[in-house]
Amino acid sequence: MKRVAILISGGGSNMVSLVDSMVGDHPARACLVLSNVADAGGLAKAKARGIATAVVDHKPFGKDREAFEVALNAVLEQARPDVICLAGFMRVLTAGFTARWAGKVLNIHPSLLPKYKGLNTHARAIKAGDDQAGCSVHEVTAELDGGPILGQARVPILPGDTPDQLAARILPMEHKLYPAVLARFVIGDRNPVMLS
C-alpha cells in the first residue's frame, strides 16, 4: 500500500477529494495531512477522517525558505510518504526540496498549463479572451508550475464570467481530476488523464 502525504494551506477541499478516493481496492492511503497554517480548515477535516495531521508554520522562518523546508522535511521523513500531493499548499518550494522528493510530488494548478502559471489564473484567462479554462495536475519540479502534465480538465468560459464564477465551475473538476491522476500515478502510470 502506497503512503500519500497531502500538503494544504486552507480549507482542504482537494485534500478531502483525495482522501475520500483512497478507499477499498485503491492502492494508496493518506498517511499525513500537513499544513503551513495552524488554523487551516482542512486540518479538522483530516482529523475527522482519522488521518494524522501536522503543522509547520512558515512564519517563524521569515524569508528563509530552506530553513522552513528543513522543518517540513523532518515531519515528512517521519511519515515516510511514497507520494506527496500539494493541494492548495501556498508556498513555493525550493529546488533543494523538489530534488529531495523528485518524482514523488504532485500539484494541482487552476489553469490549463503551460498557460497561466502562478496566481490569478481565472482572471488572466478571461482577460485573454480564452474560450476554455480548467485545471492541471503536474509533477512538481524546480520550475514553478512547470513539471510534466499528468492530467487536465477543461470547462468553457461563458460570456460575462467573473473569475469567481469560473473558479466555482472549475473546482468540481479539480475534485474529479486529482484523484484520477493519483490513482494512476501510485501504480506507475503517467499517461495523462483528460477530462471535460
Side-chain angles (χ1 to χ4, degrees):
M1 190 66 70
K2 299 288 187 182
R3 298 169 62 82
V4 179
I6 306 171
L7 274 54
I8 64 169
S9 296
S13 72
N14 269 304
M15 174 273 295
V16 166
S17 71
L18 290 169
V19 168
D20 290 355
S21 75
M22 288 185 266
V23 295
D25 62 359
H26 194 291
R29 292 290 184 272
C31 64
L32 176 70
V33 172
L34 187 155
S35 180
N36 64 309
V37 178
D39 60 354
L43 292 170
K45 294 172 189 170
K47 285 178 186 164
R49 285 163 171 77
I51 297 160
T53 61
V55 175
V56 180
D57 189 339
H58 64 277
K59 291 190 208 73
F61 298 98
K63 296 197 182 304
D64 190 345
R65 288 195 297 177
E66 283 84 1
F68 166 66
E69 289 175 0
V70 166
L72 194 63
N73 276 325
V75 176
L76 286 170
E77 281 162 8
Q78 279 191 311
R80 303 183 328 278
D82 300 294
V83 178
I84 298 171
C85 290
L86 308 182
F89 186 66
M90 301 307 289
R91 304 300 299 166
V92 175
L93 298 166
T94 68
F97 184 93
T98 56
R100 162 69 184 83
W101 299 99
K104 295 183 175 185
V105 187
L106 303 180
N107 182 46
I108 189 153
H109 181 75
S111 80
L112 295 173
L113 291 172
K115 282 186 167 183
Y116 313 123
K117 297 177 181 183
L119 301 174
N120 305 314
T121 57
H122 306 314
R124 290 157 64 197
I126 292 167
K127 187 176 179 186
D130 293 355
D131 61 358
Q132 284 192 322
C135 53
S136 305
V137 175
H138 64 95
E139 196 174 316
V140 175
T141 63
E143 182 191 347
L144 179 68
D145 299 329
I149 293 168
L150 300 171
Q152 289 190 321
R154 296 172 179 272
V155 301
I157 297 178
L158 304 177
D161 257 348
T162 65
D164 286 347
Q165 289 168 326
L166 182 56
R169 276 207 316 286
I170 291 172
L171 191 61
M173 297 302 284
E174 293 183 24
H175 296 164
K176 289 180 186 169
L177 180 66
Y178 211 170
V181 171
L182 178 64
R184 286 190 183 185
F185 188 79
V186 294
I187 59 168
D189 181 351
R190 290 168 186 250
N191 289 312
V193 176
M194 295 298 173
L195 305 177
S196 58

